[in-house]
Amino acid sequence: MEKSEKKTKLTLCDWCVLIAIIGLIASVSHPALSGAMEEKKLSDMVDRLQMIRSQIRLYRVDHDGLYPGQKNRDDLSVTPDEFVAALEQQRVDNTEPYVRQFPGNPYVSDPVAGDAVTCVNDPAAFPLGTEGTGWWFNAATGEFYACDSEFHTNY
């Protein structure tokens, strides 16, 4: 006896059902994947905040209570460029810099604005989240926050 092989051809209806099933699987998995991406982005932002805050504290210990960018006790104000440059400089004991390259805020798509820091020198100031920069530093208090949105200023 010979076995006959029967070739199956998919009809238009079969193709439509197959495409619908693939579409359903994609639509169900998309929110889960985008939620995971959002969690990763938030985790990256919080990690960067913690790293920068710890380096600010270390800098302050190494520089007799001055925050990054402060020149002396007579002038405690800080510009954004001075703040970043101070953290990227070599430490006083000639070891690695506090931060090799100042990190950007992962929620800011513009890399220039994401790396930028708004610096204020008012102990009562607090970031609004509308400053247009990725980060916010208060030279009067040493507080450092994300400022890409009002929500993230809580971190």
Side-chain angles (χ1 to χ4, degrees):
M1 270 192 204
E2 290 182 26
K3 289 186 180 178
S4 64
E5 292 184 24
K6 186 176 181 184
K7 291 187 178 181
T8 343
K9 290 187 178 181
L10 293 176
T11 65
L12 181 58
C13 184
D14 294 333
W15 278 108
C16 289
V17 169
L18 182 63
I19 290 171
I21 291 171
I22 292 171
L24 181 64
I25 291 169
S27 68
V28 169
S29 65
H30 177 70
L33 292 176
S34 65
M37 289 172 46
E38 183 63 26
E39 285 180 25
K40 167 94 172 85
K41 193 185 275 190
L42 181 60
S43 176
D44 285 348
M45 184 194 73
V46 171
D47 288 348
R48 292 172 189 184
L49 275 170
Q50 290 173 340
M51 184 270 301
I52 296 168
R53 287 173 178 158
S54 70
Q55 295 309 307
I56 290 170
R57 286 191 294 275
L58 183 59
Y59 183 97
R60 191 165 189 221
V61 168
D62 288 347
H63 292 86
D64 298 322
L66 294 175
Y67 288 113
Q70 293 177 333
K71 292 178 183 52
N72 56 54
R73 301 230 177 267
D74 296 329
D75 182 14
L76 298 177
S77 63
V78 176
T79 68
D81 289 338
E82 293 168 338
F83 176 77
V84 172
L87 287 174
E88 289 180 342
Q89 76 181 358
Q90 203 171 28
R91 291 184 181 168
V92 291
D93 61 0
N94 289 327
T95 58
E96 296 290 321
Y98 296 93
V99 178
R100 286 184 189 270
Q101 181 178 358
F102 201 78
N105 183 322
Y107 282 96
V108 180
S109 57
D110 177 5
V112 174
D115 294 352
V117 180
T118 297
C119 290
V120 299
N121 192 31
D122 177 2
F126 193 78
L128 303 172
T130 58
E131 289 83 358
T133 60
W135 308 110
W136 185 91
F137 177 68
N138 189 330
T141 63
E143 294 172 319
F144 187 81
Y145 294 98
C147 73
D148 59 279
S149 71
E150 183 179 354
F151 177 72
H152 289 154
T153 60
N154 296 313
Y155 286 93

